[in-house]
Amino acid sequence: MERLHPLYTDIARPMRLNNPMGYVPHPLCQQAAAAVQRYIATKDEWQEELSRGKMFGVLVVEDERRQLGFLAAYSGLLAERNDWSYFVPAVFDFQQEDGYFKQEEAKISAINRQVEDLEHQPELLHARERLTRLRKDMEQEITSWKTKMEQAKRQRDERRQGPSCQEEELIRESQWMKAELKRKRQHHQQAIAAQEAAVNGLEEKIKRLRTQRKEMSDALQRWLFEHFMMRNALGQSQNLLQIFEGTSTPTPPSGSGECCAPKLFQYAFSHHLRPISIAEFWWGQSPVGEIREHLHFYPACRGKCLPILQYMLQGLDIEENHHEKPSQKEPEIEYEDEWLMVVRKPEGVLSVPGKVGEASVWSFVRSHCPEATGPLIVHRLDMATSGLLVIAKESSVHKNLQEQFKNREIQKTYVALLEREVDPTFPPCGRIHLPLSAMPTDRPRQKVDFEHGRQAVTDYTFITPDRIQLHPLTGRTHQLRVHCAHPKGIGIPIKGDTLYGTPADRLYLHAETLRFRHPVTQEMMAFTWKAEF
């Protein structure tokens, strides 16, 4: 097999396949990835495109004689092709120039051009400008007339105080001005309605084309998903629509089935190869907003790949997700009274229950205080983050504490250990403004998004060159992790950050101090739990 590359090594093979959604790269995968990276570096014609970044993957496999080798893949297209002989092929090749997909895509592109041409036709542009001008004229004249009416009313009120007041005349003047206002408004509204009809008439063809374009795009996407037939380890096959049916996103995200992991497993199962270990690495610059480092290993994406891989890997003995490994530690009570509680949450413990039966701070508090009537959890920490949490036993206390969070009255300070020391010229303290938004196809990963992101602000102070104190002024998901890792923030990931950095024995992020006003006694409460690292 041309795409099966030999792997000569005395490294011991793992007993179980690692979990593609969370793993520490096995030495076999590291050796295979190094071979792929050397090959990529020889391809000068790819380097300009690859400088913008692409995900590559390797799958170490055994053939039927237990000979060891590896497969390689890239996500999407590489240099507009999906058939480079060194890499496994696409699950479904829809890129043929004379194929159905390209033909339909060309028709949709033609409609796009028609829409753009119609949007810029002089007649429509002039009609829209006239409509805008008519609305502005109406607003100005009506506002001016209302000002005159107010002035006239004040004058009538003054005349009513005089000895020769003609009340009937004043009433007639008031009625006439009101009637004139109505006539002016009707006159403008008639002109505006006529112009709106003219604009709508010109826009009608655009609306029809947009509807046609959407229908064609939806049909083509469905056709594509139906032709992505994914094989699994049991020898079964389903298309993407069948695989995603019943999930939280029954319509597969665009690009599903084109990532590295599905391609690799598809080829392995189709050629009777047994998967041993998998890893994916990034080559090139980080995408705008995202955090990807050259040659770093990353898990498969959740939105597009998780449902597919859950189907494909049925019947295989797979390791647990190293990134979601629960801790055996239990929360501890730092402080408690009849209204609230402050809890020490260890790393690896959820704030609220996830899967049925999983331990969490919520379940710990519920078992400790079965009589509590409040919603309990006021704020959360990521599973991988340790630190202090305040818990409400009553609804009124919960509401009060949430208001304090909303008004930024509660102060939290975190400490983190970075992957490496900061450059000596980096400011020792400062404020980071990087708005964040979720990545729909790879939740819970966040990205920096200056256009649509929610405001996220963090103050920082370096304690040592690799130890930092963080004070979040907002409470966005993964705020501190992204603000540390992103080049426009600190530019160094927190040690052990499996999403934005490099895995370690834990995430070295700890909520060290917590300060708030007691909702009942009004006393200022302050707590500190020093990090264990």
Side-chain angles (χ1 to χ4, degrees):
M1 277 176 279
E2 184 181 13
R3 291 179 168 93
L4 177 59
H5 310 286
L7 195 60
Y8 304 109
T9 179
D10 57 1
I11 297 173
R13 305 176 190 189
M15 299 297 294
R16 304 164 68 194
L17 176 67
N18 60 311
N19 193 315
M21 308 310 300
Y23 59 89
V24 175
H26 190 274
L28 286 173
C29 277
Q30 292 178 335
Q31 183 174 331
V36 175
Q37 290 159 12
R38 288 193 296 270
Y39 177 80
I40 294 171
T42 66
K43 299 297 181 180
D44 294 338
E45 65 271 28
W46 295 351
Q47 298 312 309
E48 182 178 353
E49 178 182 344
L50 291 182
S51 68
R52 296 189 289 272
K54 182 167 286 291
M55 194 71 78
F56 289 84
V58 292
L59 178 64
V60 178
V61 295
E62 286 180 349
D63 64 15
E64 293 171 310
R65 295 174 298 166
R66 297 202 72 237
Q67 296 295 309
L68 200 64
F70 72 88
L71 307 171
Y74 50 85
S75 63
L77 298 175
L78 177 57
E80 300 301 320
R81 286 175 55 181
N82 57 16
D83 59 351
W84 296 103
S85 60
Y86 185 87
F87 300 95
V88 300
V91 173
F92 172 60
D93 185 4
F94 56 93
Q95 294 292 333
Q96 307 96 327
E97 285 301 322
D98 57 348
Y100 177 80
F101 183 87
K102 285 291 188 181
Q103 291 178 15
E104 291 300 301
E105 190 178 50
K107 293 176 184 177
I108 294 171
S109 297
I111 293 177
N112 285 335
R113 290 191 294 272
Q114 282 184 271
V115 169
E116 186 173 353
D117 290 343
L118 289 172
E119 282 280 7
H120 292 87
Q121 61 178 315
E123 188 179 0
L124 177 58
L125 295 177
H126 293 155
R128 286 172 173 168
E129 289 174 4
R130 175 167 170 73
L131 180 58
T132 300
R133 189 166 59 251
L134 287 173
R135 287 170 174 164
K136 186 176 181 180
D137 290 346
M138 174 181 172
E139 181 182 355
Q140 290 177 342
E141 184 167 2
I142 295 301
T143 299
S144 176
W145 187 254
K146 284 183 176 179
T147 301
K148 290 181 180 180
M149 290 175 66
E150 291 171 0
Q151 293 173 346
K153 183 179 183 305
R154 287 195 295 270
Q155 291 173 357
R156 289 195 299 273
D157 290 342
E158 292 174 1
R159 289 160 60 187
R160 285 190 175 94
Q161 305 302 319
S164 57
C165 172
Q166 301 291 327
E167 184 64 28
E168 291 182 0
E169 181 181 341
L170 297 179
I171 292 173
R172 283 195 299 273
E173 179 184 290
S174 175
Q175 291 174 339
W176 177 82
M177 295 195 80
K178 290 177 181 178
E180 188 65 13
L181 175 64
K182 184 177 181 180
R183 284 191 292 270
K184 289 178 182 293
R185 183 176 280 118
Q186 289 177 339
H187 171 75
H188 283 287
Q189 287 174 341
Q190 289 173 357
I192 289 171
Q195 191 61 28
E196 284 176 339
V199 171
N200 290 339
L202 293 169
E203 290 180 339
E204 185 61 34
K205 186 175 182 180
I206 296 174
K207 292 177 182 177
R208 289 197 303 270
L209 286 171
R210 284 175 173 163
T211 299
Q212 182 185 358
R213 178 179 62 188
K214 184 179 186 308
E215 291 173 350
M216 291 178 66
S217 296
D218 291 346
L220 184 58
Q221 192 73 281
R222 184 174 182 84
W223 175 89
L224 189 62
F225 293 148
E226 287 173 342
H227 283 75
F228 266 83
M229 296 298 299
M230 315 303 299
R231 297 173 63 93
N232 67 15
L234 302 175
Q236 303 163 335
S237 295
Q238 282 191 356
N239 66 41
L240 291 179
L241 292 174
Q242 293 170 318
I243 290 173
F244 278 82
E245 186 179 10
T247 68
S248 58
T249 54
T251 299
S254 178
S256 295
E258 298 180 65
C259 297
C260 297
K263 286 183 178 181
L264 291 166
F265 286 116
Q266 182 84 356
Y267 190 88
F269 297 148
S270 300
H271 292 80
H272 309 292
L273 301 170
R274 187 173 81 86
I276 299 295
S277 188
I278 189 170
E280 297 184 46
F281 65 88
W282 183 261
W283 181 289
Q285 295 182 2
S286 180
V288 176
E290 295 184 44
I291 299 168
R292 303 285 193 190
E293 291 200 39
H294 182 54
L295 302 185
H296 276 219
F297 290 93
Y298 293 93
C301 65
R302 299 187 69 86
K304 290 187 285 189
C305 290
L306 179 58
I308 298 174
L309 296 179
Q310 286 176 332
Y311 171 76
M312 297 185 80
L313 303 184
Q314 293 178 74
L316 295 182
D317 186 17
I318 302 175
E319 293 179 350
E320 64 185 359
N321 186 332
H322 281 256
H323 297 179
E324 297 178 354
K325 186 177 181 179
S327 171
Q328 300 304 312
K329 300 178 182 179
E330 285 196 356
E332 298 177 0
I333 298 172
E334 173 77 15
Y335 169 85
E336 183 179 10
D337 60 29
E338 59 184 296
W339 301 288
L340 57 82
M341 180 189 298
V342 175
V343 172
R344 293 182 171 190
K345 187 191 91 66
E347 77 280 3
V349 175
L350 294 165
S351 295
V352 296
K355 299 174 184 177
V356 177
E358 280 187 324
S360 66
V361 173
W362 183 92
S363 58
F364 168 80
V365 174
R366 179 56 69 191
S367 64
H368 182 79
C369 305
E371 74 286 354
T373 59
L376 300 181
I377 302 299
V378 179
H379 61 123
R380 304 182 186 186
L381 294 174
D382 291 343
M383 178 179 176
T385 304
S386 58
L388 296 170
L389 286 171
V390 60
I391 307 296
K393 294 183 179 181
E394 297 180 356
S395 296
S396 60
V397 173
H398 185 272
K399 182 178 179 181
N400 182 285
L401 289 169
Q402 284 205 320
E403 281 294 317
Q404 289 189 54
F405 269 110
K406 181 179 178 181
N407 297 330
R408 300 183 183 178
E409 298 172 21
I410 292 183
Q411 298 177 15
K412 294 188 295 179
T413 301
Y414 294 72
V415 65
L417 196 63
L418 303 180
E419 282 189 356
R420 59 184 181 273
E421 293 186 356
V422 71
D423 188 285
T425 62
F426 197 89
C429 59
R431 176 168 291 182
I432 300 169
H433 290 267
L434 291 176
L436 304 178
S437 64
M439 296 181 64
T441 60
D442 200 9
R443 294 181 183 276
R445 185 185 292 274
Q446 305 290 303
K447 65 178 180 179
V448 172
D449 184 350
F450 288 98
E451 186 175 357
H452 303 293
R454 300 176 69 190
Q455 182 189 38
V457 184
T458 303
D459 285 342
Y460 72 88
T461 302
F462 274 95
I463 303 169
T464 67
D466 64 348
R467 192 178 186 87
I468 189 171
Q469 188 180 77
L470 300 162
H471 175 53
L473 303 182
T474 53
R476 309 300 176 214
T477 300
H478 294 179
Q479 175 176 320
L480 301 182
R481 297 165 68 173
V482 176
H483 280 187
C484 283
H486 197 273
K488 292 184 180 294
I490 302 300
I492 305 175
I494 296 172
K495 184 178 178 181
D497 192 335
T498 57
L499 285 177
Y500 310 104
T502 305
D505 57 321
R506 64 157 291 177
L507 174 66
Y508 283 75
L509 177 63
H510 177 77
E512 192 167 72
T513 68
L514 180 64
R515 180 181 173 85
F516 59 90
R517 176 175 42 80
H518 197 292
V520 178
T521 67
Q522 301 303 306
E523 178 186 357
M524 290 305 300
M525 312 287 287
F527 302 93
T528 299
W529 176 26
K530 288 292 184 180
E532 297 176 355
F533 52 82

